[in-house]
Amino acid sequence: MKVRFLILYMVIFSALGAVICVMIAGGSKQDTVSYPTEINRLVIRLSENLETTSDEPFDYAVIDQEGNLLYASKEGISTSVSAASAHYDVIRDIEKDGAVVGRLLVHNPYLELQSKRDLKQALMIGALLLMMLIVSLGYFLYLRNRVVKPFDKMKSFATRVASGDLDTPLEMDRGHVFGAFTESFDIMREELANSREREAEAVRSRKELVAELSHDIKTPVASIKAMADVMSLTAKDEMERETIAAINGKADQIDHLISNLFHATLEELEQLEVRPEELSSTELLQMIREADYQKKVKKPEIPDAVVLADRLRINQVISNIISNSYKYAGTDIYVASRFEGQKCLVIDISDRGGGVPEQEIDLITQKFKRGSNAAGKDGSGLGLYISGYFMEKMQGSLECLNQDGGFTVRLKMPMA
């Protein structure tokens, strides 16, 4: 909530509280209602005839000298001197010829008035509390819609970015407190994606350079070894043969070092850590929904199960597969699943983009290999290879196949 709304909230309820306090304080004063003239007139009439009755603006009772009730304007009022005294009623003697013939007991409505005041005060306080409750509830809903939910979205976005999903954009919404940051965060995602592409390009260039250098170096090394072998046949003495053998050994050493350098460069991708743990299939379903930012996955269904998988790595695998489908097929995506025996959950993620040539099916899961349908599209040829590597480390597998007019990636995960 912005500062001005908070200040307005405080001012309004401070004013309401002050008004209610003033009303309660003013209402706490007893409004003494007296009818001296009417009472005197009634006493005069009763002195002439003790059983006289009349309508008065107050309630009263009449008793004779012995305390017998002669008249009461309503039930529930005092009908004896002791009761009237206890109730603070007005007691007037009725005299005739100088002798007291009875008494007039005028009812004091203090308790009724007090009860009404208490009810009024309770209603005012209750109304104030209800208004505060409504405003507080509105404030809570405001925070939930404008702070908590946007924060959860940004947290989920950060998690996806941390897991390597840089293709899912962050929804722009300037109507909440984080609105000014969403564009910056999405620009950061785009820059990270561009950086990853540049890094992949640099890696590919480096590997190509290593391959070219290794080939260029191996060729003269092989020539050196061949010439050393020829020279060893024409050596004149033992010292010359030992020198030629040393040259041959050093050439072998150089050849081995170049081979190790080449293989070490390719195996850098296999240093990614994988830690399988128990994972509910409902989380897999949630990962699919989060990765499907274009809403192309149609009614994915995965049966309830507990599988062994690394949460971060399986999220990367699913995001990579769906991203590839967006990039190369652009059709609706269908997710089917089933149990294979009692030890394996199988999930098929399929599109209807025509698939890839059959002769390329086994190649596209290898390093730096891409299908012929990838021409003109960004990519490094590592996505499916890394996904397959992750699945193997999680004791599962990844398989590619053509079916139903499209391309299918089949994931197999062991049950926990």
Side-chain angles (χ1 to χ4, degrees):
M1 182 177 284
K2 296 182 178 180
V3 175
R4 63 174 180 269
F5 293 149
L6 180 60
I7 295 175
L8 181 63
Y9 175 84
M10 295 173 62
V11 170
I12 290 176
F13 280 100
S14 296
L16 285 175
V19 169
I20 289 177
C21 290
V22 170
M23 293 177 65
I24 291 176
S28 64
K29 298 178 181 179
Q30 175 64 36
D31 296 329
T32 304
V33 181
S34 60
Y35 305 95
T37 302
E38 288 82 356
I39 293 175
N40 289 333
R41 289 175 180 174
L42 180 58
V43 169
I44 293 172
R45 287 197 299 272
L46 290 173
S47 65
E48 296 173 355
N49 182 0
L50 199 60
E51 296 183 356
T52 298
T53 61
S54 62
D55 293 332
E56 301 293 343
F58 52 84
D59 293 312
Y60 68 94
V62 180
I63 60 175
D64 59 18
Q65 183 63 23
E66 287 75 24
N68 298 317
L69 178 64
L70 301 178
Y71 174 76
S73 62
K74 73 172 185 179
E75 295 181 359
I77 63 176
S78 301
T79 58
S80 65
V81 174
S82 60
S85 299
H87 198 264
Y88 302 103
D89 292 340
V90 177
I91 304 175
R92 296 288 299 273
D93 290 337
I94 303 172
E95 299 180 356
K96 185 176 184 180
D97 299 329
V100 177
V101 295
R103 287 183 173 85
L104 173 65
L105 310 177
V106 180
H107 177 64
N108 184 359
Y110 171 79
L111 293 178
E112 290 86 344
L113 293 175
Q114 182 65 35
S115 177
K116 290 180 180 179
R117 281 197 304 273
D118 292 344
L119 178 60
K120 181 179 179 181
Q121 293 171 4
L123 290 176
M124 288 190 294
I125 294 174
L128 178 63
L129 292 176
L130 179 60
M131 188 176 298
M132 292 180 68
L133 177 63
I134 292 173
V135 174
S136 298
L137 180 61
Y139 182 39
F140 169 78
L141 294 176
Y142 175 89
L143 289 177
R144 183 171 179 270
N145 293 327
R146 296 298 184 181
V147 178
V148 178
K149 282 187 176 180
F151 181 79
D152 288 340
K153 286 183 179 179
M154 293 184 68
K155 180 180 177 182
S156 177
F157 171 77
T159 301
R160 292 197 304 270
V161 170
S163 66
D165 178 12
L166 301 178
D167 297 322
T168 305
L170 178 61
E171 181 181 355
M172 299 294 177
D173 184 3
R174 297 184 178 274
H176 56 73
V177 295
F178 299 110
F181 300 99
T182 53
E183 184 175 1
S184 298
F185 272 70
D186 201 57
I187 291 175
M188 178 192 70
R189 174 193 63 82
E190 292 177 353
E191 289 300 319
L192 287 174
N194 294 334
S195 176
R196 186 169 69 175
E197 291 179 1
R198 289 193 296 268
E199 181 182 2
E201 180 65 27
V203 169
R204 183 167 57 252
S205 298
R206 184 182 66 184
K207 294 182 184 301
E208 292 174 354
L209 177 62
V210 170
E212 291 175 0
L213 288 176
S214 64
H215 178 269
D216 292 342
I217 294 175
K218 279 177 174 291
T219 300
V221 168
S223 300
I224 292 172
K225 290 182 63 178
M227 288 187 289
D229 290 338
V230 173
M231 291 175 63
S232 65
L233 298 176
T234 59
K236 298 179 180 178
D237 53 39
E238 187 64 25
M239 181 178 293
E240 188 175 346
R241 281 193 291 271
E242 289 177 357
T243 302
I244 295 172
I247 293 173
N248 203 352
K250 293 298 181 180
D252 287 334
Q253 186 178 0
I254 293 173
D255 186 66
H256 290 149
L257 289 174
I258 293 300
S259 297
N260 290 338
L261 175 63
F262 182 72
H263 290 299
T265 303
L266 293 182
E267 289 170 0
E268 286 177 0
L269 294 173
E270 299 181 357
Q271 302 304 315
L272 299 174
E273 187 175 5
V274 179
R275 294 181 178 178
E277 60 181 343
E278 292 186 358
L279 192 66
S280 171
S281 59
T282 56
E283 293 190 56
L284 300 177
L285 192 60
Q286 182 63 27
M287 292 176 186
I288 292 173
R289 289 171 176 161
E290 290 178 355
D292 181 33
Y293 64 91
Q294 293 187 11
K295 307 303 179 186
K296 290 183 178 292
V297 176
K298 302 302 179 183
K299 298 180 179 179
E301 294 183 1
I302 298 179
D304 290 337
V306 178
V307 299
L308 284 175
D310 183 309
R311 183 177 281 100
L312 174 62
R313 300 311 181 189
I314 192 64
N315 196 1
Q316 287 181 258
V317 171
I318 292 173
S319 297
N320 183 275
I321 294 171
I322 293 178
S323 177
N324 281 350
S325 181
Y326 288 166
K327 186 185 300 183
Y328 302 120
T331 67
D332 290 341
I333 301 171
Y334 302 87
V335 177
S337 59
R338 67 182 187 278
F339 292 112
E340 189 171 274
Q342 300 295 324
K343 298 182 179 181
C344 185
L345 174 64
V346 180
I347 300 177
D348 286 350
I349 303 177
S350 308
D351 57 48
R352 297 295 183 268
V356 299
E358 287 295 332
Q359 64 271 20
E360 297 177 358
I361 286 290
D362 295 332
L363 298 178
I364 57 177
T365 56
Q366 298 178 14
K367 291 179 182 179
F368 310 112
K369 300 295 184 180
R370 306 176 71 195
S372 56
N373 61 335
K377 298 178 181 178
D378 295 334
S380 59
L382 292 173
L384 286 176
Y385 168 76
I386 295 176
S387 298
Y389 170 77
F390 286 155
M391 293 304 298
E392 290 180 4
K393 289 295 183 179
M394 291 185 287
Q395 304 174 19
S397 65
L398 180 147
E399 179 183 0
C400 299
L401 59 150
N402 290 319
Q403 64 177 9
D404 298 329
F407 182 73
T408 296
V409 178
R410 177 167 294 166
L411 304 178
K412 293 184 179 182
M413 286 171 282
M415 305 283 286

